[in-house]
Amino acid sequence: MTESLKLKLLKNAGWLFSAEVISKLLAYGIIVILSRTLGPDGLGQYSFIFYYVGLLGIFSDLGVSYYFMREVARDRSKTEELLPDVLGLKIVLVLVNFVVIVVLTLFLPKPMWIKALILLVGVEAMLTWISLVFVQLMYAHEVTKYEAIARTVERIWAFFVGGVVLYFYRSLSPFIVALLIGYTIREFLRVKWGTKFVKKIIIRFNPQIWLSLLKKSYPFWLIGLFTLIYYRTDMVMLSLMKGDYETGIYRAAYTLIEVSLFVPNIVVSTMMPSIARLWKQDKKTLDILLKKSLQMLTGFGVLALAGYFIFARLGIIIVFGKEFLESVSVLRILAFAVPFMFLNSLFGSFLNATERELVFTKITGFTALLNVMLNYILISYYGASGAAIATVLSQSTANILSFIALSLLQKNEK
């Protein structure tokens, strides 16, 4: 691995690490304030709204943004060629997706005020989905500092402004409105800084070119779709099957699990453009990069598992209070999923970056279906603990299948 590549990876990782630490601390501070103010039911309602909108965001991209990032990372001259069509397609997709959210929400068995908040979150989500094109553009140029700053600004807003609103109003609705204002600021910054990497913003509406893009991007969409189902199903199914309280109990445990996920997020986000480039230029260096990443993430994953299992009760009481003691057993179950989560992030990104996206699509499709089935069965009997068991079984299955696929592919190349 060359020194220049090492320095670039370290620099990008440094920006993302700093942003992740600040963002996560503030994000979990927000969850703690919300939990202690509104209890398990309030946390459950909050989680359902955002997870529901996230789960229904299945038509907002169709894999185009990821394909765009990979192609520009390999050849930056493609920016001017691809961006106008990508933006035009994204605008159409997010409008269609919002209509889907509106229609499905009308039939949702939830109070009207919850439905109104869902639609409001959906409006802001359209801005988020479009701004992500510019995030991918910055990542393709191996620049992470602007996204790091944008996320940090949004989290600071959410913590201080959202915290003040929650303190005075002690209600979910004004709190969510405050959060959405912060999200809008973040999207504006993303677009503003993303435009630094293109000479001129042009939006082109050409269905013929869109079809060509979709033929190349659909595997990434399927992966994104299956991943959404994979990670969002548990919270939504819990809310619909068991109610807000059980959802809040599960979310409290999962929130602590998410603290550790910044490690693979940083590693993968930093390395993805380099993996895509090295796959074409220097496969020997790529193998070294993969092995070192695998060793590092395995070690961190095992340490995280031990820490969560041993300190589960202490962590829940300190962060959320005794009202969430039922989350302790859920957290200990989820802890066993952490090493698998770490490695799945690496395996998935490696397969995608090295043109094996169809392999990963099949793996995520199978495990997403498995996850839904397991959640339905286990939540029915065990509630939040059942959702945690389903997560462990799904993540371990994905890990085993990805490892086997990667080993076979590398063996065939030799």
Coordinates of all heavy atoms in Angstrom, one line a residue, residues 43-94:
L43 N -40.5 7.1 22.9 CA -39.4 6.7 22.1 C -39.9 5.7 21.0 O -39.4 5.8 19.9 CB -38.4 6.0 23.0 CG -37.1 5.4 22.3 CD1 -36.4 6.5 21.6 CD2 -36.2 4.7 23.3
G44 N -40.9 4.9 21.3 CA -41.4 4.0 20.3 C -42.1 4.7 19.2 O -41.9 4.3 18.0
Q45 N -42.9 5.7 19.5 CA -43.5 6.5 18.5 C -42.5 7.2 17.6 O -42.7 7.2 16.3 CB -44.5 7.5 19.1 CG -45.7 6.9 19.8 CD -46.3 7.8 20.8 OE1 -45.8 8.9 21.1 NE2 -47.5 7.4 21.3
Y46 N -41.5 7.8 18.2 CA -40.5 8.5 17.4 C -39.8 7.6 16.5 O -39.5 7.9 15.3 CB -39.5 9.1 18.4 CG -38.2 9.6 17.8 CD1 -38.0 10.9 17.3 CD2 -37.0 8.8 17.9 CE1 -36.8 11.3 16.7 CE2 -35.8 9.2 17.3 CZ -35.7 10.4 16.8 OH -34.5 10.8 16.3
S47 N -39.4 6.4 17.0 CA -38.7 5.4 16.2 C -39.6 4.9 15.0 O -39.1 4.8 13.9 CB -38.3 4.2 17.1 OG -37.5 4.6 18.2
F48 N -40.8 4.7 15.3 CA -41.7 4.2 14.3 C -41.8 5.2 13.1 O -41.7 4.8 11.9 CB -43.1 3.9 14.8 CG -44.1 3.5 13.7 CD1 -44.1 2.3 13.2 CD2 -45.0 4.4 13.3 CE1 -45.0 1.9 12.1 CE2 -45.9 4.1 12.3 CZ -45.9 2.9 11.7
I49 N -42.0 6.4 13.4 CA -42.1 7.5 12.4 C -41.0 7.5 11.4 O -41.1 7.4 10.2 CB -42.4 8.8 13.0 CG1 -43.7 8.9 13.7 CG2 -42.2 10.0 12.0 CD1 -43.9 10.1 14.6
F50 N -39.8 7.5 12.0 CA -38.6 7.7 11.1 C -38.2 6.3 10.4 O -37.8 6.3 9.3 CB -37.4 8.2 11.9 CG -37.5 9.7 12.2 CD1 -38.0 10.2 13.3 CD2 -37.1 10.6 11.2 CE1 -38.1 11.6 13.6 CE2 -37.1 12.0 11.4 CZ -37.7 12.4 12.6
Y51 N -38.4 5.2 11.1 CA -38.1 3.9 10.5 C -39.1 3.6 9.4 O -38.8 3.0 8.4 CB -38.1 2.8 11.6 CG -36.7 2.7 12.2 CD1 -36.2 3.6 13.1 CD2 -36.0 1.5 12.0 CE1 -35.0 3.5 13.7 CE2 -34.7 1.4 12.6 CZ -34.2 2.4 13.4 OH -33.0 2.2 14.0
Y52 N -40.4 4.0 9.6 CA -41.4 3.8 8.6 C -41.1 4.5 7.3 O -41.2 4.0 6.3 CB -42.8 4.2 9.2 CG -43.9 4.1 8.3 CD1 -44.6 2.9 8.0 CD2 -44.4 5.3 7.7 CE1 -45.7 2.9 7.2 CE2 -45.5 5.2 6.8 CZ -46.1 4.0 6.6 OH -47.2 4.0 5.7
V53 N -40.8 5.8 7.5 CA -40.5 6.6 6.3 C -39.2 6.1 5.6 O -39.1 6.0 4.4 CB -40.3 8.1 6.7 CG1 -39.7 8.9 5.5 CG2 -41.6 8.7 7.2
G54 N -38.2 5.7 6.4 CA -37.0 5.1 5.8 C -37.3 3.8 5.1 O -36.7 3.6 4.0
L55 N -38.1 3.0 5.7 CA -38.5 1.7 5.0 C -39.2 1.9 3.7 O -39.0 1.2 2.7 CB -39.3 0.9 5.9 CG -39.7 -0.5 5.5 CD1 -38.5 -1.4 5.2 CD2 -40.6 -1.2 6.5
L56 N -40.1 3.0 3.7 CA -40.8 3.3 2.4 C -40.0 4.1 1.4 O -40.6 4.4 0.3 CB -42.1 4.0 2.8 CG -43.2 3.2 3.6 CD1 -44.4 4.0 3.7 CD2 -43.5 1.9 2.8
G57 N -38.8 4.4 1.7 CA -38.0 5.1 0.8 C -37.4 4.2 -0.3 O -36.3 4.5 -0.8
I58 N -38.1 3.2 -0.6 CA -37.5 2.1 -1.5 C -37.4 2.6 -2.9 O -36.6 2.0 -3.7 CB -38.3 0.8 -1.4 CG1 -39.8 1.1 -1.7 CG2 -38.2 0.2 0.0 CD1 -40.6 -0.1 -1.8
F59 N -38.2 3.6 -3.3 CA -38.1 4.0 -4.7 C -37.4 5.3 -4.9 O -37.5 5.9 -6.0 CB -39.6 4.1 -5.3 CG -40.4 2.9 -5.2 CD1 -41.4 2.8 -4.3 CD2 -40.0 1.8 -6.0 CE1 -42.2 1.6 -4.2 CE2 -40.8 0.6 -5.9 CZ -41.9 0.5 -5.0
S60 N -36.7 5.8 -3.9 CA -36.1 7.1 -4.0 C -34.8 7.2 -4.7 O -34.3 8.2 -5.0 CB -35.9 7.6 -2.5 OG -34.9 6.8 -1.9
D61 N -34.2 6.0 -5.0 CA -32.9 6.0 -5.6 C -32.7 5.0 -6.7 O -32.1 5.2 -7.8 CB -31.8 5.8 -4.6 CG -30.4 6.0 -5.1 OD1 -30.0 7.2 -5.2 OD2 -29.7 5.0 -5.4
L62 N -33.2 3.8 -6.5 CA -33.0 2.6 -7.5 C -31.5 2.3 -7.8 O -31.2 1.9 -8.9 CB -33.8 2.9 -8.8 CG -35.3 3.1 -8.6 CD1 -36.0 3.2 -10.0 CD2 -35.9 2.0 -7.8
G63 N -30.7 2.6 -6.8 CA -29.3 2.3 -6.9 C -28.4 3.3 -7.8 O -27.2 3.1 -7.9
V64 N -29.1 4.3 -8.3 CA -28.4 5.3 -9.2 C -27.3 6.0 -8.5 O -26.2 6.2 -9.1 CB -29.4 6.3 -9.8 CG1 -28.7 7.3 -10.6 CG2 -30.4 5.5 -10.7
S65 N -27.5 6.5 -7.3 CA -26.4 7.3 -6.5 C -25.2 6.4 -6.3 O -24.1 6.9 -6.5 CB -27.0 7.8 -5.2 OG -28.0 8.7 -5.4
Y66 N -25.4 5.2 -5.9 CA -24.2 4.3 -5.6 C -23.4 4.1 -6.9 O -22.2 4.1 -7.0 CB -24.6 3.0 -5.0 CG -23.5 2.2 -4.4 CD1 -23.2 2.4 -3.0 CD2 -22.7 1.4 -5.2 CE1 -22.1 1.6 -2.5 CE2 -21.7 0.7 -4.6 CZ -21.4 0.8 -3.3 OH -20.4 0.1 -2.7
Y67 N -24.2 3.8 -8.0 CA -23.5 3.5 -9.3 C -22.8 4.8 -9.8 O -21.6 4.7 -10.3 CB -24.6 3.1 -10.3 CG -24.1 3.1 -11.7 CD1 -23.3 2.0 -12.2 CD2 -24.3 4.1 -12.6 CE1 -22.8 2.0 -13.5 CE2 -23.8 4.1 -13.9 CZ -23.1 3.0 -14.3 OH -22.6 3.0 -15.6
F68 N -23.4 5.9 -9.6 CA -22.8 7.2 -9.9 C -21.4 7.4 -9.2 O -20.4 7.7 -9.8 CB -23.7 8.3 -9.6 CG -23.2 9.7 -9.7 CD1 -22.8 10.2 -10.9 CD2 -23.0 10.5 -8.6 CE1 -22.2 11.5 -11.0 CE2 -22.5 11.8 -8.7 CZ -22.1 12.3 -9.9
M69 N -21.5 7.1 -7.9 CA -20.3 7.3 -7.1 C -19.2 6.3 -7.5 O -18.0 6.7 -7.7 CB -20.6 7.0 -5.6 CG -19.4 7.3 -4.6 SD -18.3 5.9 -4.4 CE -19.4 4.9 -3.3
R70 N -19.5 5.1 -7.8 CA -18.5 4.1 -8.2 C -17.9 4.5 -9.5 O -16.6 4.4 -9.7 CB -19.1 2.7 -8.3 CG -18.1 1.6 -8.5 CD -18.7 0.3 -8.7 NE -19.2 0.2 -10.1 CZ -19.8 -1.0 -10.6 NH1 -19.8 -2.0 -9.8 NH2 -20.3 -1.0 -11.8
E71 N -18.7 4.9 -10.5 CA -18.1 5.3 -11.8 C -17.3 6.5 -11.7 O -16.2 6.6 -12.4 CB -19.3 5.5 -12.8 CG -20.1 4.2 -13.1 CD -19.2 3.1 -13.6 OE1 -18.5 3.3 -14.6 OE2 -19.2 2.0 -13.0
V72 N -17.7 7.5 -11.0 CA -16.9 8.8 -10.9 C -15.6 8.5 -10.1 O -14.6 9.1 -10.4 CB -17.7 9.9 -10.2 CG1 -16.9 11.1 -9.9 CG2 -18.9 10.3 -11.1
A73 N -15.7 7.6 -9.1 CA -14.4 7.3 -8.3 C -13.4 6.6 -9.3 O -12.2 6.9 -9.1 CB -14.8 6.3 -7.2
R74 N -13.8 5.9 -10.3 CA -12.9 5.3 -11.2 C -12.4 6.3 -12.3 O -11.3 6.2 -12.8 CB -13.6 4.1 -11.9 CG -13.8 2.9 -10.9 CD -14.6 1.8 -11.6 NE -14.7 0.7 -10.7 CZ -15.5 -0.4 -11.0 NH1 -16.2 -0.4 -12.2 NH2 -15.6 -1.4 -10.2
D75 N -13.3 7.2 -12.7 CA -13.0 8.1 -13.8 C -13.7 9.4 -13.5 O -14.9 9.6 -13.8 CB -13.4 7.5 -15.1 CG -13.0 8.5 -16.3 OD1 -12.5 9.6 -16.0 OD2 -13.3 8.1 -17.4
R76 N -13.0 10.4 -12.9 CA -13.7 11.6 -12.5 C -14.2 12.5 -13.6 O -15.0 13.4 -13.4 CB -12.7 12.4 -11.6 CG -12.5 11.7 -10.2 CD -11.5 12.4 -9.4 NE -11.3 11.6 -8.2 CZ -10.3 11.9 -7.3 NH1 -9.5 13.0 -7.4 NH2 -10.2 11.2 -6.2
S77 N -13.7 12.2 -14.8 CA -14.2 13.0 -16.0 C -15.7 12.6 -16.3 O -16.3 13.4 -17.0 CB -13.3 12.7 -17.2 OG -13.5 11.3 -17.6
K78 N -16.2 11.5 -15.7 CA -17.6 11.1 -15.9 C -18.6 12.0 -15.2 O -19.8 11.8 -15.3 CB -17.8 9.7 -15.6 CG -17.1 8.7 -16.6 CD -17.5 7.3 -16.3 CE -17.0 6.3 -17.3 NZ -17.4 4.9 -17.0
T79 N -18.1 12.8 -14.3 CA -19.0 13.7 -13.4 C -19.9 14.5 -14.3 O -21.1 14.4 -14.1 CB -18.2 14.6 -12.5 OG1 -17.3 13.8 -11.7 CG2 -19.1 15.4 -11.7
E80 N -19.4 15.2 -15.2 CA -20.2 16.1 -16.1 C -21.1 15.3 -17.0 O -22.2 15.8 -17.3 CB -19.3 17.0 -16.9 CG -18.2 17.8 -16.2 CD -18.8 18.8 -15.3 OE1 -19.9 19.3 -15.5 OE2 -18.1 19.2 -14.3
E81 N -20.7 14.1 -17.3 CA -21.6 13.3 -18.2 C -22.7 12.7 -17.5 O -23.9 12.7 -18.0 CB -20.7 12.2 -18.8 CG -21.5 11.1 -19.6 CD -20.6 9.9 -19.9 OE1 -19.4 10.0 -19.8 OE2 -21.2 8.9 -20.3
L82 N -22.5 12.2 -16.3 CA -23.5 11.4 -15.5 C -24.4 12.3 -14.7 O -25.6 12.0 -14.5 CB -22.9 10.4 -14.7 CG -22.2 9.2 -15.4 CD1 -21.5 8.3 -14.4 CD2 -23.2 8.4 -16.2
L83 N -23.9 13.3 -14.0 CA -24.6 14.1 -13.0 C -26.0 14.6 -13.5 O -27.0 14.5 -12.8 CB -23.8 15.2 -12.4 CG -24.4 16.0 -11.2 CD1 -24.8 15.0 -10.1 CD2 -23.5 17.1 -10.8
P84 N -26.1 15.3 -14.7 CA -27.4 15.9 -15.1 C -28.5 14.8 -15.2 O -29.6 15.1 -14.7 CB -27.0 16.5 -16.5 CG -25.6 16.7 -16.4 CD -25.0 15.6 -15.6
D85 N -28.2 13.7 -15.7 CA -29.2 12.6 -15.8 C -29.5 12.0 -14.5 O -30.7 11.6 -14.2 CB -28.7 11.5 -16.8 CG -28.5 12.1 -18.2 OD1 -29.5 12.6 -18.8 OD2 -27.4 12.0 -18.7
V86 N -28.5 11.8 -13.7 CA -28.7 11.3 -12.3 C -29.6 12.2 -11.5 O -30.6 11.7 -10.8 CB -27.4 11.1 -11.6 CG1 -27.6 10.8 -10.1 CG2 -26.6 9.9 -12.2
L87 N -29.4 13.5 -11.6 CA -30.2 14.5 -10.8 C -31.7 14.5 -11.4 O -32.6 14.5 -10.6 CB -29.6 15.9 -10.9 CG -28.4 16.2 -10.0 CD1 -27.9 17.6 -10.3 CD2 -28.8 16.0 -8.6
G88 N -31.8 14.5 -12.7 CA -33.2 14.4 -13.2 C -34.0 13.2 -12.8 O -35.1 13.3 -12.4
L89 N -33.3 12.1 -12.9 CA -33.9 10.8 -12.5 C -34.3 10.8 -11.0 O -35.4 10.4 -10.6 CB -33.0 9.6 -12.8 CG -33.5 8.2 -12.4 CD1 -34.9 8.0 -13.1 CD2 -32.5 7.2 -12.9
K90 N -33.4 11.3 -10.2 CA -33.6 11.4 -8.7 C -34.8 12.2 -8.4 O -35.6 11.9 -7.5 CB -32.4 11.9 -8.0 CG -31.2 10.9 -7.9 CD -31.5 9.9 -6.8 CE -31.4 10.5 -5.4 NZ -31.5 9.5 -4.3
I91 N -35.0 13.3 -9.0 CA -36.1 14.2 -8.7 C -37.4 13.5 -9.0 O -38.4 13.6 -8.2 CB -36.0 15.5 -9.6 CG1 -34.8 16.4 -9.1 CG2 -37.3 16.3 -9.5 CD1 -34.5 17.6 -9.9
V92 N -37.5 12.8 -10.1 CA -38.7 12.1 -10.5 C -38.9 11.0 -9.5 O -40.1 10.7 -9.0 CB -38.6 11.5 -11.9 CG1 -39.8 10.6 -12.2 CG2 -38.6 12.6 -12.9
L93 N -37.9 10.2 -9.1 CA -38.0 9.1 -8.2 C -38.5 9.6 -6.8 O -39.3 8.9 -6.2 CB -36.7 8.4 -8.1 CG -36.2 7.6 -9.3 CD1 -34.8 7.0 -9.0 CD2 -37.2 6.5 -9.6
V94 N -38.0 10.7 -6.3 CA -38.3 11.1 -4.9 C -39.8 11.6 -4.9 O -40.5 11.4 -3.9 CB -37.4 12.2 -4.4 CG1 -36.0 11.7 -4.3 CG2 -37.5 13.5 -5.2

